[in-house]
Amino acid sequence: MELIDLALIWALIIGFGIIMYVLMDGFDLGQGILFPFAPDEDARDVMMNSVAPVWDGNETWLILGGAGLLAAFPLVYSVFLPALYIGVFLMLTGLIFRGIAFEFRFKARTSKYLWNWAFAGGSILASFAQGVVVGNYIQGFAVENGVFVGGPFDWLTPFTVLTGLGLLAGYALLGSTWLIMKSEGYIQDWAYKITLPLLGAVLAVFVIISIWTPFVNPAVWDRWFSNIQIIWVLPAMTAFFAWVLFRSVQKRQDGMPFVATMGIFVFTFLGLVASKWPYVVPPDYTIYDASSAWESQLFLLLGLLFVIPIVLAYTAWTYWVFRGKVKAGVGYH
Amino acid sequence: MELDPLLLSRIQFGFVVSFHAIFPVFTIGLASYIAVLEGLFFKTRNPVWEKLARFWTQVFAVVFGMGVVTGIVMAFQFGTNWSNFSQASANFLGPVLSYEVVTAFFLEATFLGVLLFGRNKVPRGVHLFAAVMVAVGTFISSFWILSANSWMQTPAGVEFRDGAVFVTSWMEALFNPSFPYRFAHMVMASFLTGGFVVAGVSAWYLLRKREVEANRKALSMCLWMLLFFAPAQAWVGDLHGLNTLEYQPVKVSAMEGLWETDTNVPLLLFAIPDQANQTNHLEIGIPNLASFILTHDWAGQVPGMNEVAVEEQPPVGIVFWSFRIMVSIGLLMIAFALAGLVLRRGGRFAETPWFLKGLTYMSITPFIAVVAGWFVTEVGRYPWLVWGEMTLAEGLTPSLTGGMALFTLIGYVLVYALVFAAGVYYLMRIFQVGMEDTHTGDHIDEPHSAKRPWSGADVTLEAGGR
Ligand code: HDD
Ligand code: HEM
Ligand code: HEM
């Protein structure tokens, strides 16, 4: 009956969903991470206005990630969430505060600073928690008979804290390069100024993670230093985009830094997947072990092939509607 | 004391989902109302419609925002607290919830951006289209999520093999036996919620003689709608109950507070159910009426709680009283809708103080009725998670400890209390400021005269900050 390798197709779709989420929500979470450091209140207004019309759509990719995993790889859903129980709670709390800050900050006056903190704190908490998930994926889970059997704080280790900080820096970088594209004047100058130090931080974390990972998980070491040399293309591409980013910031090209940062993210993500493939619940379960019923994967796939292009089309359309620079002093009320 | 992760998870799930539910019921109704207002403005170009549309869009933005953030929590609750259930039912629930995301959530979220921020950026027709898409999205969302929930009440179209669900017929599973009733009942509940809130707020303004023309129009519209939906809701509710009698009879026994299967069953108006002794205290009832409603025969036989083992009985008190609260509110709604019709003669509906005051108070009742209704449905399902197939205890996350569950329960209660307080406070401010300033309804404007636009006519969060 299994005529097509649906598990593989689904792995590609989920991978696409995750990368969409990381890129899109990444730049708006990045605004929140950079919020406390912004030069002034006007700059904060511009930062928030630049993402206000699209953040909800961006976050919907996260929900698709959750629901899509439940549909296609239920084992991932039912192991990751219990294993990361407290971490998930913290992430959701962060997303709640940051979500309502959009609505309330511009209505507030004397209490505005409270919503600034809600937006910044929420974004930082959510980003850090997502980075921790990445660390856990590299680290692996204590699973027996398809059920998580570890303790409540297994998710929090020095290694996962490092990946948490790494993603924080990464999202901040997406945020600053997005802001370069969407702002002008002194706000843009500031965004240019912070971009290279952020890039430095991101690269530093990459290097530490790369050295550390083999100690956390020897299988990854094998993957990189045994037979298949072709995967070294991936870190090479990451380095290439880092260089493009560096050059374009120096030349002050408005749009290029953001594109280059997206490139860094895409190839880092592919590198991560290549380290683990085909395991989705490391160390023991592959995409085939984690799959839902073939009929269920097919039923959803047929619909998605039809609906996702439409979603992408109208998403692109809203970005087009809200294209261009966001001007300081243009109100959101 | 040993903390019970099962009980704590139930309380937590009940809390977060009830809290989430109060926002959608309002936004579903309000989204349609806004789409209608935008449509009327588009056709007639009468600025009154635009004024109303801008005002209610501002309210909508706040409520929708709270619906979104609490909804994101829901999407992860299944996995964190009910991972065995997620794993077992994923073959059905996974695709359904995913379809909800791709067909509804993206639609709502994307067009919401255009609705709130795009008034000056897109042509008027496109703006209207965005309003309609948001409304359509809310219905598509209800369709999928209620199908999922109804399937848990009355599973169909699947077979259970090796502890997991396998779908044999998507049609039968999606359109399971209780789905049509639950969908109709919930959509009407949403219209009633939107209707009574708009009516209540308009009445409040009319009492204060503010923006009389616009609010009179709004109230009149609402009253016509309520006149249709309030009685229709009672009718659909009755059909819903008959369907439940067929598929989940013990739930109906609990709603009626009936311990022993019997004929000539009275409709209890008041009773204190006593689960330990399997009996009621202080019963007051109307003879034979329950038999008549449920079997259409004054002497008809109605099943009692004794049909199932004591461990399989839902907590009768909660179901019994939640049901009475919902139905009483439903009857009260019908009364107000009829009063509105009577007062139409001579246009008194917009002037009679007791009526306007009453409507103002009525605006919170739909929320109470909705939560009560869900309590009947969900508590009445106890001890089953998937009716007849999987119990709550079997669905629980195995690695969950009482301490973890308690931590997140307290966390959610605190966070939601804050969100709710801020949201209600801000809504009150919107209502106080009112629709006199036409600009307040829009989110991003080109810079108008003032250098910092929100220093002008806009609503600020702090009282007196205007
Ligand atoms: C009958 C209506 C209804 C019911 C019973 C539920 N929801 Fe809901 N939900 C909606 C109707 C809705 C909505 C109208 O579509 C919302 C309200 C505000 C919004 O943004 O969309 C929404 C938002 C919303 C979101 C955020 C969507 C976004 O970002 O735009 C999620 C993830 C969920 N819900 C998930 C759930 C889950 C897992 C539920 C079950 C336990 C649930 N909802 C019950
Ligand atoms: C949105 C309106 C809803 C409300 C207000 C609501 C309310 C509740 C309440 C009060 C409980 C606790 C019952 C008990 O423990 O005895 C509960 C349980 C549950 N509900 Fe719902 N529910 C809603 C919708 C849904 C939907 C749409 C689903 C599934 C798709 C769902 C799935 C569950 C599950 C899995 C439980 C079991 C956990 C528990 O008992 O707490 N609910 N719900
Ligand atoms: C006036 C007469 C009404 C009757 C006879 C009635 C009947 C019912 C019944 C029998 C159920 C339980 C279904 C089950 O077995 O699970 C139910 C649930 C519910 N009711 Fe009502 N109802 C009435 C009014 C209302 C009103 C006015 C509202 C809200 C505005 C409302 C909102 C709900 C909701 C949200 C649920 C849970 C979802 C569902 O199962 O449909 N009801 N109702």
Side-chain angles (χ1 to χ4, degrees):
Chain A
M1 192 160 81
E2 267 110 277
L3 304 168
I4 335 168
D5 190 347
L6 280 180
L8 180 64
I9 297 177
W10 267 104
L12 295 175
I13 295 177
I14 301 275
F16 175 75
I18 293 176
I19 207 61
M20 283 299 282
Y21 171 71
V22 168
L23 294 179
M24 298 177 75
D25 214 26
F27 74 72
D28 64 52
L29 283 163
Q31 303 309 317
I33 300 170
L34 297 174
F35 226 53
F37 311 102
D40 60 15
E41 250 347 86
D42 279 346
R44 292 197 183 100
D45 294 343
V46 168
M47 290 164 79
M48 215 159 187
N49 281 339
S50 75
V51 294
V54 292
W55 74 271
D56 186 10
N58 296 348
E59 218 155 277
T60 308
W61 289 95
L62 177 67
I63 306 167
L64 179 61
L69 282 175
L70 178 62
F73 303 114
L75 186 72
V76 181
Y77 186 86
S78 62
V79 168
F80 276 44
L81 290 175
L84 300 161
Y85 189 83
I86 308 269
V88 169
F89 167 75
L90 294 177
M91 178 186 82
L92 294 173
T93 313
L95 291 178
I96 291 173
F97 278 115
R98 154 194 148 73
I100 57 164
F102 274 103
E103 271 310 317
F104 296 154
R105 179 176 173 275
F106 281 91
K107 324 284 199 302
R109 200 183 268 175
T110 48
S111 62
K112 202 167 180 177
Y113 73 98
L114 280 179
W115 298 115
N116 283 350
W117 281 114
F119 186 58
S123 303
I124 291 171
L125 191 60
S127 307
F128 178 76
Q130 290 176 8
V132 168
V133 178
V134 177
N136 274 280
Y137 175 64
I138 299 176
Q139 207 174 262
F141 297 89
V143 181
E144 273 167 30
N145 300 322
V147 174
F148 176 71
V149 292
F153 290 101
D154 281 12
W155 56 279
L156 197 65
T157 63
F159 182 73
T160 60
V161 169
L162 179 71
T163 54
L165 294 175
L167 196 66
L168 209 53
Y171 282 172
L173 184 64
L174 271 173
S176 73
T177 51
W178 164 263
L179 195 59
I180 289 177
M181 191 165 71
K182 296 298 273 188
S183 67
E184 53 197 8
Y186 74 100
I187 301 171
Q188 195 189 31
D189 291 342
W190 171 70
Y192 270 120
K193 205 175 76 196
I194 58 173
T195 294
L196 290 186
L198 284 173
L199 175 63
V202 169
L203 293 180
V205 175
F206 278 178
V207 171
I208 304 177
I209 290 178
S210 307
I211 297 172
W212 195 341
T213 300
F215 296 100
V216 178
N217 190 324
V220 177
W221 174 270
D222 276 2
R223 176 60 51 88
W224 286 92
F225 293 98
S226 58
N227 37 28
I228 22 180
Q229 266 72 28
I230 184 87
I231 59 175
W232 284 91
V233 170
L234 301 173
M237 287 302 288
T238 308
F240 168 73
F241 278 109
W243 179 79
V244 173
L245 174 57
F246 181 75
R247 295 289 302 172
S248 58
V249 167
Q250 286 199 323
K251 291 200 208 138
R252 292 183 68 102
Q253 292 165 320
D254 273 12
M256 207 50 192
F258 186 63
V259 175
T261 309
M262 293 203 291
I264 296 178
F265 265 90
V266 170
F267 284 98
T268 310
F269 175 74
L270 292 178
L272 182 67
V273 175
S275 308
K276 288 286 178 182
W277 187 263
Y279 292 93
V280 275
V281 185
D284 294 328
Y285 297 89
T286 66
I287 54 169
Y288 301 99
D289 307 322
S291 280
S292 59
W294 197 82
E295 303 78 24
S296 298
Q297 289 189 335
L298 184 67
F299 175 70
L300 184 56
L301 181 66
L302 294 178
L304 283 200
L305 290 178
F306 179 69
V307 183
I308 288 283
I310 301 176
V311 169
L312 289 173
Y314 62 61
T315 304
W317 173 72
T318 36
Y319 276 84
W320 186 76
V321 167
F322 296 104
R323 71 194 175 281
K325 302 274 183 193
V326 177
K327 300 213 170 24
V330 176
Y332 168 149
H333 26 265
Chain B
M1 193 187 84
E2 193 60 36
L3 291 170
D4 176 11
L6 178 61
L7 183 64
L8 289 167
S9 292
R10 286 172 56 197
I11 297 174
Q12 173 168 324
F13 196 93
F15 174 71
V16 292
V17 78
S18 303
F19 193 82
H20 171 62
I22 57 180
F23 302 110
V25 282
F26 185 25
T27 48
I28 295 167
L30 197 55
S32 297
Y33 182 58
I34 290 171
V36 169
L37 291 172
E38 292 276 355
L40 286 170
F41 174 57
F42 187 79
K43 260 192 92 161
T44 65
R45 304 224 166 208
N46 181 345
V48 169
W49 299 125
E50 196 196 16
K51 184 177 275 190
L52 283 169
R54 279 175 182 261
F55 175 75
W56 284 106
T57 303
Q58 209 184 5
V59 174
F60 182 75
V62 172
V63 182
F64 199 88
M66 296 202 278
V68 170
V69 294
T70 54
I72 293 173
V73 173
M74 296 313 307
F76 293 92
Q77 280 282 314
F78 290 122
T80 50
N81 291 51
W82 308 100
S83 72
N84 272 359
F85 161 67
S86 312
Q87 174 77 314
S89 61
N91 287 334
F92 174 66
L93 281 190
V96 171
L97 297 179
S98 303
Y99 268 119
E100 181 182 16
V101 179
V102 293
T103 58
F105 291 159
F106 276 114
L107 198 70
E108 291 171 328
T110 313
F111 285 98
L112 181 73
V114 179
L115 178 67
L116 297 186
F117 303 100
R119 199 181 284 273
N120 300 321
K121 292 200 186 265
V122 295
R124 292 175 61 226
V126 176
H127 195 250
L128 169 62
F129 179 72
V132 174
M133 282 300 118
V134 172
V136 169
T138 60
F139 288 115
I140 301 177
S141 167
S142 321
F143 169 84
W144 293 109
I145 198 72
L146 292 176
S147 173
N149 181 274
S150 299
W151 178 84
M152 292 165 66
Q153 306 282 348
T154 53
V158 295
E159 65 187 25
F160 290 77
R161 244 190 287 138
D162 317 323
V165 162
F166 290 85
V167 180
T168 50
S169 160
W170 288 97
M171 279 317 256
E172 279 174 35
L174 286 172
F175 297 90
N176 56 74
S178 65
F179 170 70
Y181 302 96
R182 190 162 283 110
F183 184 63
H185 200 57
M186 187 70 187
V187 166
M188 291 194 190
S190 306
F191 280 132
L192 288 173
T193 308
F196 271 102
V197 174
V198 175
V201 173
S202 307
W204 188 79
Y205 284 130
L206 287 171
L207 276 171
R208 282 160 187 72
K209 304 262 178 289
R210 290 173 61 179
E211 291 290 319
V212 173
E213 191 201 349
N215 285 308
R216 203 190 155 91
K217 271 196 152 77
L219 181 57
S220 166
M221 270 168 94
C222 284
L223 287 175
W224 283 124
M225 191 198 74
L226 296 176
L227 188 61
F228 173 75
F229 279 115
Q233 178 73 328
W235 177 62
V236 170
D238 179 45
L239 294 180
H240 198 349
L242 294 177
N243 181 262
T244 307
L245 180 63
E246 192 178 339
Y247 291 93
Q248 301 172 304
V250 61
K251 194 193 269 185
V252 174
S253 318
M255 293 192 295
E256 300 301 344
L258 185 63
W259 296 97
E260 308 274 334
T261 304
D262 205 354
T263 55
N264 298 74
V265 178
L267 182 75
L268 297 180
L269 299 178
F270 186 93
I272 299 177
D274 177 349
Q275 194 113 12
N277 297 314
Q278 303 273 302
T279 184
N280 292 330
H281 304 293
L282 303 174
E283 279 184 15
I284 305 173
I286 303 172
N288 297 347
L289 191 54
S291 279
F292 183 73
I293 292 176
L294 290 165
T295 63
H296 296 230
D297 171 1
W298 294 103
Q301 180 176 337
V302 181
M305 303 291 291
N306 62 336
E307 303 272 326
V308 299
V310 176
E311 316 80 65
E312 289 189 13
Q313 292 177 356
V316 177
I318 301 179
V319 179
F320 179 86
W321 277 109
S322 302
F323 186 65
R324 268 147 199 73
I325 291 171
M326 171 180 68
V327 174
S328 318
I329 291 176
L331 297 177
L332 203 60
M333 288 175 167
I334 297 175
F336 265 89
L338 290 177
L341 181 67
V342 173
L343 290 173
R344 254 187 213 276
R345 288 207 23 215
R348 282 173 298 149
F349 72 95
E351 278 133 37
T352 314
W354 68 263
F355 182 64
L356 295 176
K357 213 173 250 160
L359 277 179
T360 313
Y361 290 121
M362 282 303 284
S363 55
I364 56 158
T365 56
F367 298 102
I368 301 171
V370 164
V371 173
W374 276 109
F375 268 65
V376 176
T377 300
E378 302 290 326
V379 178
R381 183 176 55 186
Y382 184 88
W384 300 108
L385 230 179
V386 179
W387 189 263
E389 301 290 349
M390 181 179 222
T391 62
L392 288 158
E394 289 163 349
L396 192 70
T397 299
S399 60
L400 189 68
T401 63
M404 289 158 81
L406 184 66
F407 173 79
T408 52
L409 173 61
I410 294 174
Y412 283 121
V413 171
L414 290 179
V415 171
Y416 282 11
L418 263 166
V419 171
F420 192 68
V424 168
Y425 181 67
Y426 181 58
L427 283 176
M428 290 303 143
R429 286 287 303 147
I430 297 181
F431 292 145
Q432 268 165 24
V433 172
M435 55 190 90
E436 279 85 353
D437 302 305
T438 38
H439 263 299
T440 50
D442 207 9
H443 271 64
I444 283 195
D445 276 329
E446 295 309 318
H448 39 239
S449 52
K451 207 160 149 233
R452 296 169 60 92
W454 52 88
S455 62
D458 310 307
V459 186
T460 56
L461 191 59
E462 299 78 25
R466 220 190 120 192

